[in-house]
Amino acid sequence: MNRDEALAIVKKQLTEHRYLHTVGVMETAIKLADKYGADKKKAELAAIFHDYAKFRPKEEMKEIIIREGMPGDLLDYNSELWHAPVGAFLTEKEAGINDIEVLDAIRYHTSGRPGMTLLEKIIYLADYIEPGRHFPGVDEVRDLVQTSLDIALIKSVQNTIMFLMKKGQPVFPASFQTYNDLVMNKGD
Ligand code: DGI
Ligand code: FE
Ligand code: FE
């Protein structure tokens, strides 16, 4: 599937604002793939579809999570987490994309996971730093990504967890596991 076909499919699923975010993630992901030696076409496709399920009704997402045997603890946490695994499922089912690397990058774009692949790291970070993002700490991560993908990723996962904790919100265990895995394996 080429870029324009993919963009046309997701455009129908998204608001204008979320579509512009998606284009920002796509452009950022391609640049990161180029810089860090990942497959640029896979980065492009994963970025385009990463928020595919963002506006599905909660009941539909819940039903898919149960029916498809996705991790049960997802339902105990913020429903904002659901669009990532459900998005991977629907991207395969509705758009016919079956590249597991692309689908996993969509699946883990919100929480991350221990042992993230290069492509998963790129999509997580591109989602965090695309030009339309404006929140405290984003410029620091934009700077860090110029020198180290992993250091930038640790910072972004840390910021996300700290943001949730400051608001007194629960943190999904996979987010903590991602953080621990990155910090314990960063190799210095
Ligand atoms: O879909 P986007 O807005 O582009 O970004 P995203 O997929 O990273 O989703 C961010 C949302 O997910 C945000 O509202 C915070 C929430 N979130 C991310 N990690 C966790 C989380 N919520 C909980 N409860 N726990 C997490 O670990
Ligand atoms: Fe998302
Ligand atoms: Fe996003």
Side-chain angles (χ1 to χ4, degrees), residues 18 21 25 50-51 54 77-81 83-84 109-111 124 127 133 160-161 163-164 167 169-176:
R18 183 61 43 175
H21 160 71
V25 176
H50 85 283
D51 277 339
K54 190 82 178 173
Y77 291 86
N78 195 332
S79 58
E80 278 293 325
L81 292 158
H83 74 285
H109 87 265
T110 303
S111 65
Y124 186 103
D127 189 23
R133 295 292 208 193
T160 300
I161 292 173
F163 171 77
L164 292 165
K167 291 200 300 176
Q169 287 195 12
V171 178
F172 188 50
S175 299
F176 278 130

Side-chain angles (χ1 to χ4, degrees), residues 2 8 17 35-36 42 46 58 63 70 78 80 88 93 96-97 100 124 129 136 150 163 170 175 177 181 184:
N2 70 35
H17 178 78
K35 182 173 172 63
Y36 288 103
K42 291 190 188 207
K58 276 187 205 169
E63 194 260 321
M70 294 173 186
N78 195 332
E80 278 293 325
K93 190 158 177 275
I97 288 163
I100 190 68
Y124 186 103
I129 64 169
D150 281 340
F163 171 77
S175 299
Q177 288 162 359
D181 175 66
M184 289 193 268

Side-chain angles (χ1 to χ4, degrees), residues 1-4 30 33 38-48 99 102 119:
M1 185 181 308
N2 70 35
R3 176 192 292 196
D4 289 344
I30 292 169
D39 185 318
K40 284 195 271 183
K41 292 310 286 182
K42 291 190 188 207
E44 176 181 87
L45 208 52
I48 292 173
D99 183 319
V102 170
L119 189 67

